[in-house]
Amino acid sequence: MWISEKKLVRKAIIKQFLHSRQYIFTKIANYSLIWLQEKVFKPARVIGYPPLLFIDTGNICSLKCPFCPTGQQAEGRTKGFMPFADFKKIIDEFEPYLLVADLYNWGEPFLNKDIFKMIDYAHQKGIVSRISSNLNYFDNEMAKKLVQSKCDILIVSLDGTSQESCSKYQVGTDFSKVIRNIQFIRDARGQSKFPLLYWRFIASKYNEFEIPKAIEMAKSLVDVLEIGDMMPNTTKMLFMDNRDQFNSVKDWLPIDDKWSMFNYKLKRKKCIANCCSSLYRQSVINWNGSVSPCCALWYEKYDFGNILKDGFANTWNNEKYRASRRLIFRDEGSGTKTICNICKANEAIA
């Protein structure tokens, strides 16, 4: 079945509600309260929890993608994998409120030995689990475990329809192995529709000619195909203005700018957001418990706290979060300076 990304997430949430009816009304009420605060009241201190959460289960990867800080082996963030005990502690605090947990950010999730245990625990708590993987560290047995753990959505990062095009950016990838592993998952899920398969194809000048082929392949391979934007160097993205971001990635951009986030004539992003929903709607918890305000922040020194030390409720409304909300939503720049001051000055996030 060919469905949109929003419908795909909605379908996964409905499945979880049918599986676990506990906290349904609490989750709906929390989501509604967060939405009202973001869109209408814009308080510095938030009542409720973010309904979406990135939990980075590990920031280590086998590929060497040139614009990814993990692929670059960049300094600035402690490397490691999240233990299951810490994951459980986080999920237990969020259980009554959380709708979707993205179990990835800076690394390859399937390198964490506890990943299937984590997915299963999220499922038990009625939380949608979403994984993004390059599917290189994977095999048929892992496909069976993925299905058995009740994973809801698997995003497959595959930037092309051939070994030559994929390996231009995803240095170290094995195209035929990834396709084989997708088929293993399809076979393992059988009549089940889960995990829903989402192919993320990042367009560049090295693969844009393969987009028609990708569209045809996707019809029999996955549930959703996304032609995504080539992002600037994510290690430094928040510290660059639009022109610097464009210049940092221009040698990779597709020839046709309809596949790009940039307006080539203006050398800036096509759409600039004036606010950041992450400050109300979602948060990022790194493998060691440190809390980032958004998934684009690489440098640990700019994090807002640590959930394992202080609990999320205290971190969510500490001075850094409150100052950032005042800055972004009220344009009040006085007080504590955070990474959000730098991001806003550079119009770094689209």
Side-chain angles (χ1 to χ4, degrees), residues 1-2 156 182 186 189 197-199 214 217-225:
M1 181 170 60
W2 198 250
V156 180
I182 294 174
R186 290 181 61 89
R189 74 181 188 177
L197 295 171
Y198 183 114
W199 179 1
M217 287 178 60
K219 291 177 181 177
S220 60
L221 195 64
V222 295
D223 301 294
V224 171
L225 170 67

Side-chain angles (χ1 to χ4, degrees), residues 29 37-38 123 149 209 247 274 280 313 344:
Q37 289 174 96
E38 178 193 349
H123 174 74
S149 67
F209 67 95
N247 289 331
N274 293 319
Y280 287 98
K344 182 179 181 180

Side-chain angles (χ1 to χ4, degrees), residues 112-124:
N112 188 315
K113 63 181 179 61
D114 291 326
I115 189 63
F116 300 113
K117 193 176 178 181
M118 292 173 173
I119 297 169
D120 180 66
Y121 193 72
H123 174 74
Q124 291 177 38

